[in-house]
Amino acid sequence: MGVPNKVLTLVLIREEYRILLGMKKRGFGVNRWNGFGGKVEAGETIAQGAKREVEEECGLTLTEFEEVGRIDFEFVGEPQILEVHIFRGDKYEGKLQETEEMRPKWFALDAIPFHSMWPDDAYWFPIFLRGSKFKGYIKFEGHDKILDCSLEELETT
Ligand SMILES: CSc1nc2ncnc(N)c2[nH]1
């Protein structure tokens, strides 16, 4: 039995024609446009962790959001799998703000900056944007090279 998975959240807030991303200013994934999210803390559900991270990272309070996907990420040489639970944010309150962690920005759906994002996004964003649920497994070598990618679309809403 290997090391238990590290459970993480990833929230993509989307409106009809735009999606909210954050430029990561430090730490894991720095200098890439990302979804909002992070670790799930003891005593909170995965959904509560997702909501908390959004508040901490960009000041918005999610009022309607849904888990739509799950991707297990393996990084060569690291025994721990990152089990990322992906949420679509539908409704929110509050004022969007830059934090020490993230610089938020809305992007038109036909202008998503994939060249400045994690390379896996180009694989699963199209599934996410057409409203499907999905699950997958992606193996990285370092932070730029994808060795394996398998994604399964589970349902189209
Ligand atoms: C670990 S691989 C990864 N892909 C991602 N896409 C968007 N936002 C993230 N934080 C991401 N992490």
Side-chain angles (χ1 to χ4, degrees):
M1 165 75 176
V3 175
N5 291 357
K6 185 173 193 173
V7 180
L8 299 167
T9 59
L10 181 59
V11 181
L12 296 153
I13 297 172
R14 77 154 287 181
E15 294 180 347
E16 193 173 3
Y17 298 110
R18 63 180 192 166
I19 191 166
L20 185 66
L21 298 172
M23 172 49 71
K24 192 81 178 341
K25 295 161 64 176
R26 65 185 185 195
F28 190 74
V30 65
N31 296 328
R32 280 178 162 162
W33 293 102
N34 289 258
F36 299 93
K39 299 179 189 66
V40 178
E41 291 170 359
E44 69 181 2
T45 66
I46 296 171
Q48 287 165 341
K51 182 169 181 170
R52 175 183 51 73
E53 286 285 350
V54 169
E55 268 168 30
E56 289 174 1
E57 292 186 344
C58 76
L60 297 183
T61 300
L62 290 173
T63 53
E64 254 185 62
F65 61 112
E66 176 188 21
E67 180 165 353
V68 296
R70 197 191 121 176
I71 300 177
D72 286 345
F73 290 98
E74 179 185 352
F75 287 85
V76 170
E78 290 175 27
Q80 189 166 43
I81 299 287
L82 304 185
E83 177 186 313
V84 180
H85 293 251
I86 299 164
F87 293 81
R88 188 194 63 249
D90 297 306
K91 292 203 174 100
Y92 57 86
E93 293 168 349
K95 185 175 179 306
L96 188 59
Q97 59 190 40
E98 179 169 353
T99 62
E100 287 180 1
E101 195 84 19
M102 289 286 225
R103 175 164 52 86
K105 182 175 162 59
W106 287 100
F107 289 88
L109 298 187
D110 61 4
I112 294 172
F114 288 113
H115 58 286
S116 305
M117 294 167 74
W118 281 92
D120 55 288
D121 295 9
Y123 289 93
W124 57 267
F125 263 53
I127 304 171
F128 168 82
L129 291 173
R130 59 174 173 266
S132 296
K133 297 211 173 167
F134 57 95
K135 68 179 179 180
Y137 162 76
I138 299 176
K139 184 175 182 180
F140 269 91
E141 184 169 34
H143 287 187
D144 305 317
K145 189 171 182 210
I146 291 175
L147 296 181
D148 301 310
C149 177
S150 74
L151 287 164
E152 188 188 343
E153 196 164 349
L154 301 177
E155 67 180 72
T156 28
T157 48

